[in-house]
Amino acid sequence: MDRETLVSRIAFASQRSLSLPAARELLARTGSEQRYFSLSTDELRSLTGSKNRLWDADRRARLIDEARREIEFIERNSVRCIYFTDPEYPQRLLNCDDAPLMLYALGDCDLNAQGVMSVVGTRHATAYGNDITSRIISDLAEQAVDPPLIVSGLALGVDIAAHRAAIKASLPTVAVLAHGLNTIYPAVHRSDAVEIIKKGGMLLTDYRSIDVIHRGNFLARNRIVAGLSDCLLVTESADKGGALVTARLAAGYDREVMAVPGRVGDLYSEGCNRLIHNHSARLVTSASDIIGAMRWPERQAEGQQGSLFEELTVEEEVVMSTIREQGEVSFATLLQRLDMATARLTGLLVDMEFKGYIRSLPGGKYRISV
């Protein structure tokens, strides 16, 4: 596109109060972004039937001036501008009314990949949180026929563990930033940001280089983390925090929300355990759980099926047979059918889930996972 069209699009998109539906309606009435900025205040009021402050001529002229300054940064640094009408704009985001009109990117990866998973969690990740995050992503790379694009926020803790695990597993990863591409926060992750781009990933933001960084930016960017994905995984979180906000956003966008359980009483497991307890998230203990829930094709290792069932104990085989019979079965039904003590059955089911034989489902039900 020509430079002036891009300038007008940057200026138009910088009106952050415009939702996608409102932007589409405004462009339908004015004809184009360039015409929107050329009309007088009175003409815009007449076309829209309102006296919105956005129509102020001086304000719109200032936005154009800012866009001309921004385009110099864009051209100097080879930044990709992805507008909401462009075919490469992430189609999943188009289903979110509060999605940004313009995205700015460094790097080159497919934001419309067949599978996309966002990973979020506490900035104060423990060894357990870092390990389970890395292990699940590594196993996804090995077990999924088409491993997903991994999205996170480049923050300390779980975010950076997810990005590093993706890079190590040769998966593309997208870091969604809460500021312009003129800086990296936290600065300690600058080398990771470079590595993300070098390994086929992307730095992505809806902020211009001239935008001031505010605390609210970090919560606002979570809508992009949630909206880009098919599913969102919370691997470790306290009872309050940005990860739980992102989980709520993902649920609101009708994304599959998943959480890794932690030990009762651990500060940074409280959020995940509560999500699972409230049936706000599916319990996940392995990559297989995610693959099964998302119906992603899974690689089958030769002889995998036979070796698995050879390891079953007699009690486990009885449980497997009962679940296999009904497809999905509740704890209460298992208790009744197997005539087993509650504590014994509970322990058996937990062991079998961690071994990957069965999966727990919302509503206290179980199904075979292999």
Side-chain angles (χ1 to χ4, degrees):
M1 82 183 69
D2 64 87
R3 199 171 192 268
E4 286 307 305
T5 298
L6 182 55
V7 166
S8 62
R9 286 185 172 188
I10 292 170
F12 188 77
S14 66
Q15 301 175 110
R16 300 184 69 84
S17 60
L18 276 182
S19 65
L20 282 179
R24 290 190 182 102
E25 178 64 24
L26 186 54
L27 290 175
R29 296 194 181 203
T30 59
S32 70
E33 294 84 0
Q34 285 176 293
R35 185 159 185 266
Y36 166 77
F37 285 103
S38 68
L39 292 170
S40 69
T41 303
D42 287 341
E43 286 172 325
L44 274 175
R45 286 176 177 173
S46 176
L47 276 173
T48 61
S50 71
K51 294 184 177 181
N52 196 307
R53 63 182 181 82
L54 296 179
W55 315 155
D56 181 74
D58 290 340
R59 182 182 182 280
R60 285 181 290 131
R62 184 171 66 253
L63 292 177
I64 289 291
D65 288 341
E66 290 175 354
R68 292 193 194 286
R69 296 206 313 273
E70 185 65 17
I71 205 169
E72 292 176 6
F73 172 83
I74 288 166
E75 292 173 343
R76 191 165 60 248
N77 294 279
S78 301
V79 173
R80 288 177 59 195
C81 297
I82 309 172
Y83 197 54
F84 77 103
T85 58
D86 294 338
E88 62 266 35
Y89 188 92
Q91 298 303 297
R92 294 168 179 87
L93 265 185
L94 288 179
N95 297 322
C96 310
D97 286 350
D98 58 352
L101 305 184
M102 179 76 84
L103 293 166
Y104 303 97
L106 284 174
D108 187 17
C109 72
D110 183 9
L111 296 174
N112 290 302
Q114 186 170 349
V116 182
M117 183 177 80
S118 293
V119 182
V120 296
T122 178
R123 285 175 165 78
H124 307 282
T126 65
Y128 167 77
N130 285 326
D131 177 67
I132 195 67
T133 300
S134 300
R135 182 153 53 86
I136 286 176
I137 291 172
S138 173
D139 289 349
L140 275 174
E142 292 182 1
Q143 296 173 22
V145 174
D146 296 302
L149 173 69
I150 302 298
V151 176
S152 198
L154 202 70
L156 296 166
V158 166
D159 284 21
I160 198 63
H163 292 305
R164 288 170 179 168
I167 290 170
K168 187 175 181 180
S170 299
L171 297 183
T173 182
V174 174
V176 183
L177 309 180
H179 48 72
L181 293 169
N182 56 314
T183 188
I184 293 295
Y185 180 86
V188 70
H189 292 163
R190 283 178 181 166
S191 60
D192 295 285
V194 172
E195 197 68 11
I196 285 170
I197 295 171
K198 282 172 59 179
K199 293 301 173 65
M202 179 181 285
L203 305 183
L204 190 70
T205 184
D206 62 327
Y207 292 99
R208 303 168 299 175
S209 67
I210 60 174
D211 290 329
V212 178
I213 302 177
H214 294 291
R215 286 189 63 178
N217 293 9
F218 293 88
L219 284 178
R221 67 95 181 269
N222 290 348
R223 77 196 194 284
I224 301 176
V225 173
L228 278 174
S229 66
D230 298 306
C231 61
L232 179 128
L233 175 66
V234 187
T235 56
E236 193 174 40
S237 174
D239 194 44
K240 293 180 180 178
L244 298 191
V245 172
T246 312
R248 285 196 295 272
L249 288 168
Y253 296 150
D254 201 26
R255 306 303 194 252
E256 184 73 47
V257 179
M258 309 179 189
V260 175
R263 190 169 57 183
V264 174
D266 283 3
L267 175 63
Y268 294 111
S269 291
E270 288 180 359
C272 290
N273 290 344
R274 182 159 64 85
L275 285 172
I276 295 166
H277 175 77
N278 294 341
H279 304 295
S280 300
R282 182 187 295 265
L283 185 150
V284 162
T285 61
S286 67
S288 292
D289 291 341
I290 298 170
I291 291 169
M294 300 308 298
R295 301 182 185 276
W296 290 336
E298 184 172 10
R299 292 192 181 102
Q300 293 295 329
E302 188 176 347
Q304 179 180 344
Q305 189 78 0
S307 64
L308 172 65
F309 288 103
E310 287 167 10
E311 297 171 3
L312 290 172
T313 66
V314 174
E315 284 184 322
E316 288 171 343
E317 181 59 54
V318 172
V319 172
M320 290 286 278
S321 298
T322 305
I323 297 175
R324 190 187 302 111
E325 229 174 74
Q326 301 194 16
E328 291 182 4
V329 61
S330 68
F331 181 86
T333 301
L334 283 172
L335 202 59
Q336 184 180 19
R337 291 279 301 276
L338 301 177
D339 191 25
M340 192 179 291
T342 301
R344 178 58 189 151
L345 180 59
T346 300
L348 198 59
L349 290 170
V350 169
D351 286 344
M352 292 176 71
E353 188 167 0
F354 271 96
K355 289 177 182 177
Y357 298 159
I358 61 174
R359 281 208 314 274
S360 63
L361 305 171
K365 293 186 176 182
Y366 295 87
R367 69 176 297 178
I368 293 173
S369 63
V370 293

